[in-house]
Amino acid sequence: MLSPKEALDHLKKGNRRFAEGKESLHSIADPKKRKALIEKQEPFAIILGCSDSRAPAEILFDHGLGDLFVIRVAGNIVAPSQIGSIEFATERFGTSLVVVLGHSKCGAIHATLEELAQPRENRSSNLRSIVKRISPAVEPLLQTDLRDNPDELMRKAVRANVIASVENLQSGSPILTELVEKDKLQIIGAEYSFDSGLVDFYEEL
């Protein structure tokens, strides 16, 4: 299994290929690889990303079947099911890197900012549960001058939400906390830009 640093390097190289339009043969569906994965899988990284159709992790990191263990949910929020999925992957496959992947112009972030500015009584309780998880990270930003700068507010809110999700993973699971403390797991945040096609990793390993 790759170390966190090696896994991050693979992600960075793959993302550069994607941004430059240089798709690798590795990412293309291969019947031989599909058959080889029938009995086992060894994903080298876990990606907790947003459900946005414009941000599919396998494509923007230029990797294929069996490479990434991907969990997608609107707003890349952390809830028990996401934590459980990550615990499963780290224990079952020994995967050593978790990336919480946000992205520019996130609809879930926008919906949360709208709800905080002007609450709606008829909003779905299911959607409200997503907004509720994002709110603590972004609400303080509305108490600053950023409330008068929508574009900058959105940018800072996306980053704040990713950081909050990273912190929730680091502290919300005894299993993950122990792995981090033993240097067997790294959990970092990142943001994908629609404009450039590049992923900005918030921390270097």
Side-chain angles (χ1 to χ4, degrees):
M1 183 54 62
L2 298 179
S3 70
K5 188 173 180 61
E6 290 170 331
L8 180 60
D9 186 57
H10 274 295
L11 292 178
K12 286 182 174 181
K13 288 179 178 178
N15 178 238
R16 283 197 294 270
R17 290 193 301 270
F18 166 76
E20 295 170 0
K22 298 177 180 178
E23 181 185 64
S24 69
L25 292 176
H26 176 76
S27 67
I28 299 174
D30 180 351
K32 291 182 179 179
K33 185 175 183 181
R34 176 174 55 79
K35 290 181 180 179
L37 289 167
I38 291 175
E39 299 300 329
K40 68 173 184 177
Q41 58 173 311
E42 296 180 335
F44 71 84
I46 301 165
I47 311 294
L48 172 57
C50 183
S51 301
D52 194 295
S53 64
R54 299 164 292 180
E58 290 91 346
I59 293 176
L60 60 91
F61 286 121
D62 191 40
H63 277 81
L65 293 174
D67 294 327
L68 304 175
F69 190 91
V70 180
I71 305 149
R72 298 182 69 181
V73 59
N76 42 270
I77 59 171
V78 172
S81 58
Q82 284 83 55
I83 294 176
S85 295
I86 293 172
E87 290 176 341
F88 170 79
T90 56
E91 290 192 317
R92 182 63 61 92
F93 312 124
T95 311
S96 63
L97 178 66
V98 178
V99 177
V100 177
L101 182 65
H103 63 87
S104 57
K105 307 182 188 304
C106 179
I109 300 295
H110 182 69
T112 300
L113 292 172
E114 282 187 335
E115 181 70 15
L116 289 171
Q118 189 172 0
R120 289 170 48 188
E121 294 182 2
N122 62 343
R123 186 178 291 278
S124 158
S125 61
N126 297 309
L127 179 55
R128 192 179 297 115
S129 68
I130 295 174
V131 168
K132 185 177 179 180
R133 291 191 179 274
I134 296 173
S135 295
V138 305
E139 190 168 15
L141 300 175
L142 292 171
Q143 310 306 316
T144 71
D145 292 341
L146 287 172
R147 62 181 178 274
D148 300 319
N149 187 338
D151 291 340
E152 186 66 7
L153 174 62
M154 171 63 79
R155 191 179 72 80
K156 290 289 180 65
V158 167
R159 185 181 182 91
N161 183 57
V162 168
I163 292 172
S165 290
V166 169
E167 292 174 347
N168 287 337
L169 288 178
Q170 290 173 334
S171 63
S173 161
I175 293 173
L176 301 183
T177 298
E178 182 178 0
L179 290 171
V180 170
E181 290 176 347
K182 291 182 176 180
D183 294 324
K184 293 183 178 180
L185 180 70
Q186 294 282 347
I187 305 174
I188 65 173
E191 182 181 340
Y192 169 57
S193 169
F194 289 160
D195 293 324
S196 69
L198 292 171
V199 173
D200 173 29
F201 292 91
Y202 294 170
E203 302 176 36
E204 292 295 334
L205 301 179

